[in-house]
Amino acid sequence: MRRLAMRLSVLSAAIGCLALLSCGGRHEKTTPEIVARGVATLPGDPEDRIWEKAPVHVATLLLQDMVEPRLLEASTTHVRIQALADGSRLAIRMSWDDSTRSDLLAPGKFGDACAVQFPVEGGADLPAPQMGEEGRPVEIAFWSAAWQALVDGRPRDIHAIYPGAKVDHYPYEAGSLEPGSSEQTAMESRYAPARAVGNPVAGPHDRPVQDLLAAGPGTLTPAERTLSDGKGRFASASWVVLVSRPLPATLAHTGRAQAAFAVWEGGNREAGARKMRTGWIPISLEEGR
Amino acid sequence: MALVHNWQLDRAMSYWYPESRPKKQFAAVFDTNKCIACQTCTLACKTTWTSGQGQEYMLWNNVESKPYGFYPLGWDVQLLERLGGQSWSGRHYEGRTIFEAAGAGERVLGWRPDELDYAYPNVGEDDSAGAELQTGAFMELPHTKWFFYLARICNHCTYPACLASCPRSSIYKRQEDGVVLIDQSRCRGYQECVRACPYKKTFFNPMTSTSEKCIGCFPKIEMGQQPQCFVNCIGKIRHVGWISRPEDARPDNPVDYLVHIRKVALPLYPQWGLEPNVYYIPPVHVPRSFLRMMFGPGVDHAIESYRKAPDDPDLVGLLSLFGSSPQIVPRWKRLGDSVIGLTEAGAEILRVPMKEPVHIRKAFDLAAGVTRTNTP
């Protein structure tokens, strides 16, 4: 059933590309698949001028409407994808229109985000593009606008969210606790359980990207280490995000692989399974020019 | 979806996972008639568990004035309106639960509070209902105006909507005590549980980007101790214990006796289908139609039994055990005018007189040579 679903989603992505080429609303020039151009040095910024020369693949985004909770009304419709490779790493630039910048997480408030996914093992028989399958995992690099804001210097305290907040006292501010002491740190972590148990989403964040593994919906697990990095910028009602990661093994060995993408629109309260996503899209390495 | 049995509805119902009851189920009885809304429970919980950054707005325990008090704003009426009018036939629920009424693409019929819905923790406090209050209102008996205090914690439901809604299966129900917990190492803060919990007892922590909830003070429970909000209740309105299935009810189990045998304690919004495990002795002075909406069809029987408690030594005896020990009291018996709290093995934990002994002392203390003041 999942294979069928995967084939249908690849087919629908292909139809989406054809529609875009023939009569699509954006009339953007698009390559039929993602071409990763070889370069000597990968850029660290999504606004580096080198991207102007990289081919653009415009991918149509599909609703995640297969697994509950689903997204039933489309939000972000397209994501523009470019790629560069330097022999050991792959840099992917994603950009999409977004009228609302959402980079603050709070009760009822969600953040913009995007992700790129590759099958762990290559070959023609691909796992389901929706998070892989049992025994056939996928690896995912996830970028978060909220983490980007923290990396860019937003303080992680309540006043960053509610500037007028008045807090009487936190227990770890007690006069008997020396600032910076192990006792004080222990007291602080006692009231931040996710951080105390080492959940990476709880921070602190030294980068806006996290590497993850999945083998089917609901199985997302942090990778042992995050080797990816990235940078996102919001301007003129659109996000431009760079995610760089080690070159996927299949892509490095054969010059070809498949990738899938997802975009979350925080302003539409999208998170987790409520997202726009693509099916598998072929990606190939092109020698540098 | 699986078919499970919900005894509070007297029927089978749909749930996201198959029926899997824990070996023991945490349960509590709250006597609303004794609550004075002092919020000592709220502060006891707050200082113990939610005093960190990102937890400022969290109230795992709160006490609100019904009908106009809510935390978050409109938590129950918002869902009642979305679910629409439903009906009971006797003790059999004929309406739809929030699992059965889930819309396309959803696991649960829920709603997501806005940020500002958490901005009014004491909205409606002590506001009366029942008649328009104008200038010149005066005391009359019986009261036509009413409100009552509703103390709330997580219900550690048999069929938790938070657990059903989590796409990552980050929420679990402990087999050893039925306490429902969010795995803080696994949660990614999608806030699906905040949307799904009809009691709105899961909260998103914006500083850790995970959701958090009442943990039933499980470290204390594991030591045989009652949770913080129970031992700090100065009105002694709470009793914690373990509830059996109705067919296994034991008269020497305090919770079983009040819920299953005497049926004086009722679940909160049973029609939603979660089989919540905090049971309320309903307030005796509130219009029955309002109480039936809130506590189901057992309200009339519960109030009639409770009103007769002064002539009912077992019932009044058991109620006097509430708040009398920091230990969990899983068994009880009455001996004459005394009530005895017991361990599961039958060892005595405490003995409470049903009537406090009266000591009359002379106004002048001859030994000390002073006049006594009235400090009983």
Side-chain angles (χ1 to χ4, degrees):
Chain A
M1 192 63 194
R2 279 188 176 164
R3 301 265 171 90
L4 178 64
M6 185 268 290
R7 281 175 190 138
L8 282 175
S9 61
V10 170
L11 182 66
S12 61
I15 291 170
C17 286
L18 285 174
L20 198 72
L21 284 168
S22 57
C23 59
R26 291 165 55 101
H27 301 290
E28 275 193 86
K29 193 178 171 188
T30 175
T31 53
E33 59 182 49
I34 303 163
V35 179
R37 180 153 295 173
V39 292
T41 309
L42 289 179
D45 196 298
E47 288 167 333
D48 192 299
R49 297 200 66 176
I50 195 170
W51 290 108
E52 290 171 9
K53 293 177 184 168
V56 177
H57 175 78
V58 182
T60 301
L61 289 163
L62 312 167
L63 287 160
Q64 191 300 101
D65 59 356
M66 296 173 77
V67 181
E68 284 89 358
R70 308 178 196 202
L71 189 66
L72 296 180
E73 284 183 28
S75 53
T76 313
T77 57
H78 298 89
V79 57
R80 302 168 76 250
I81 301 160
Q82 293 167 282
L84 298 169
D86 71 354
S88 65
R89 286 180 76 84
L90 177 70
I92 291 180
R93 182 184 190 265
M94 288 172 265
S95 64
W96 67 93
D97 295 341
D98 187 348
S99 59
T100 54
R101 177 180 188 155
S102 310
D103 62 4
L104 203 54
L105 305 177
K109 278 191 174 173
F110 297 81
D112 297 323
C114 65
V116 54
Q117 167 188 291
F118 291 90
V120 170
E121 289 177 13
D125 191 17
L126 294 163
Q130 291 219 124
M131 319 286 287
E133 296 170 53
E134 192 176 347
R136 308 172 77 207
V138 293
E139 48 194 35
I140 295 166
F142 173 81
W143 172 89
S144 153
W147 299 346
Q148 183 70 60
L150 292 168
V151 170
D152 291 347
R154 175 188 288 157
R156 190 154 195 152
D157 70 33
I158 198 71
H159 298 101
I161 306 174
Y162 307 111
K166 175 80 180 74
V167 177
D168 295 330
H169 171 73
Y170 294 113
Y172 55 84
E173 292 175 341
S176 56
L177 294 169
E178 194 181 325
S181 65
S182 58
E183 290 81 5
Q184 194 209 26
T185 309
M187 174 66 89
E188 188 171 0
S189 70
R190 206 166 289 157
Y191 293 99
R195 209 169 300 144
V197 296
N199 185 336
V201 306
H205 298 283
D206 65 350
R207 62 188 72 195
V209 178
Q210 185 189 17
D211 284 343
L212 299 143
L213 289 164
T219 64
L220 199 62
T221 307
E224 206 171 308
R225 282 174 58 207
T226 286
L227 301 171
S228 301
D229 205 344
K231 185 183 263 192
R233 289 283 172 264
F234 186 84
S236 308
S238 68
W239 276 109
V240 187
V241 176
L242 164 69
V243 172
S244 72
R245 52 152 291 159
L247 205 56
T250 310
L251 191 59
H253 294 147
T254 68
R256 293 188 63 79
Q258 303 279 337
F261 300 82
V263 172
W264 289 263
E265 158 60 321
N268 194 39
R269 294 177 156 185
E270 290 169 23
R274 299 183 200 267
K275 66 188 173 193
M276 297 297 292
R277 50 99 196 179
T278 71
W280 289 119
I281 300 171
I283 178 169
S284 58
L285 284 180
E286 185 191 57
E287 290 307 311
R289 293 181 183 176
Chain B
M1 284 281 196
L3 210 57
V4 298
H5 184 70
N6 183 326
W7 66 262
Q8 294 175 356
L9 306 183
D10 184 36
R11 71 168 174 84
M13 65 164 206
S14 297
Y15 185 64
W16 191 255
Y17 297 108
E19 186 165 342
S20 172
R21 289 175 186 265
K23 290 178 194 144
K24 287 168 85 176
Q25 176 60 60
F26 169 99
V29 176
F30 290 5
D31 185 349
T32 61
N33 296 288
K34 295 199 286 192
C35 180
I36 58 168
C38 65
Q39 307 284 0
T40 311
C41 49
T42 308
L43 266 293
C45 176
K46 189 82 192 143
T47 52
T48 306
W49 299 115
T50 60
S51 290
Q53 287 222 27
Q55 298 176 320
E56 294 84 351
Y57 81 105
M58 283 187 204
L59 294 175
W60 292 357
N61 179 106
N62 75 305
V63 184
E64 55 200 42
S65 301
K66 282 295 175 199
Y68 297 126
F70 313 90
Y71 190 74
L73 195 65
W75 66 270
D76 51 354
V77 294
Q78 286 269 9
L79 185 62
L80 289 167
E81 190 171 322
R82 282 167 171 79
L83 185 60
Q86 308 291 324
S87 61
W88 293 84
S89 174
R91 289 183 180 270
H92 180 82
Y93 183 55
E94 294 184 327
R96 291 191 305 166
T97 68
I98 63 168
F99 305 109
E100 293 159 347
E106 303 292 341
R107 297 182 178 195
V108 176
L109 173 69
W111 70 280
R112 204 184 290 287
D114 283 330
E115 212 174 4
L116 282 178
D117 290 336
Y118 293 103
Y120 318 98
N122 61 345
V123 70
E125 193 171 78
D126 291 356
D127 278 356
S128 296
E132 210 175 330
L133 286 177
Q134 301 289 357
T135 305
F138 58 91
M139 164 81 174
E140 55 189 322
L141 289 172
H143 292 305
T144 54
K145 290 82 178 172
W146 60 273
F147 65 82
F148 72 99
Y149 298 124
L150 186 73
R152 302 203 299 118
I153 61 172
C154 167
N155 288 288
H156 296 283
C157 304
T158 304
Y159 303 114
C162 61
L163 188 154
S165 71
C166 181
R168 291 182 49 65
S169 310
S170 298
I171 304 181
Y172 61 104
K173 189 168 175 65
R174 305 207 315 174
Q175 271 298 304
E176 61 267 41
D177 53 19
V179 166
V180 176
L181 296 176
I182 300 174
D183 181 344
Q184 290 298 311
S185 67
R186 187 164 170 75
C187 176
R188 289 184 67 84
Y190 299 158
Q191 304 189 47
E192 292 291 345
C193 56
V194 178
R195 185 179 190 278
C197 172
Y199 305 101
K200 296 298 169 236
K201 281 297 176 190
T202 53
F203 300 87
F204 178 70
N205 182 328
M207 289 298 123
T208 61
S209 301
T210 58
S211 293
E212 299 174 4
K213 66 177 287 297
C214 159
I215 59 172
C217 288
F218 72 82
K220 293 191 75 182
I221 287 180
E222 288 171 0
M223 295 190 294
Q225 301 286 310
Q226 298 197 36
Q228 292 290 73
C229 57
F230 288 73
V231 295
N232 284 283
C233 175
I234 64 165
K236 298 187 174 186
I237 80 155
R238 302 179 180 217
H239 186 90
V240 68
W242 313 104
I243 191 165
S244 311
R245 297 175 70 145
E247 58 271 28
D248 302 325
R250 297 174 55 133
D252 63 347
N253 172 331
V255 176
D256 279 359
Y257 187 76
L258 294 169
V259 174
H260 290 315
I261 294 169
R262 301 304 304 274
K263 296 182 169 58
V264 294
L266 306 168
L268 179 61
Y269 292 117
Q271 65 268 40
W272 290 343
L274 287 75
E275 216 186 277
N277 288 302
V278 176
Y279 295 85
Y280 292 87
I281 299 176
V284 296
H285 62 290
V286 169
R288 298 295 171 88
S289 57
F290 188 86
L291 293 179
R292 284 187 208 109
M293 173 192 76
M294 193 167 249
F295 301 110
V299 165
D300 295 319
H301 172 84
I303 290 179
E304 279 151 29
S305 302
Y306 187 76
R307 280 194 183 280
K308 290 179 191 161
D311 304 320
D312 187 336
D314 282 340
L315 185 54
V316 80
L318 178 51
L319 293 174
S320 61
L321 261 188
F322 279 39
S324 295
S325 168
Q327 271 183 263
I328 296 174
V329 180
R331 298 276 181 264
W332 75 292
K333 66 181 177 186
R334 182 176 66 84
L335 274 182
D337 288 339
S338 290
V339 189
I340 302 168
L342 305 162
T343 64
E344 294 200 43
E348 183 171 325
I349 298 172
L350 78 162
R351 189 175 287 243
V352 179
M354 287 163 61
K355 282 186 183 162
E356 293 284 346
V358 176
H359 299 281
I360 298 175
R361 297 184 299 175
K362 291 193 172 169
F364 190 78
D365 185 334
L366 280 173
V370 294
T371 301
R372 292 185 168 113
T373 54
N374 187 19
T375 52

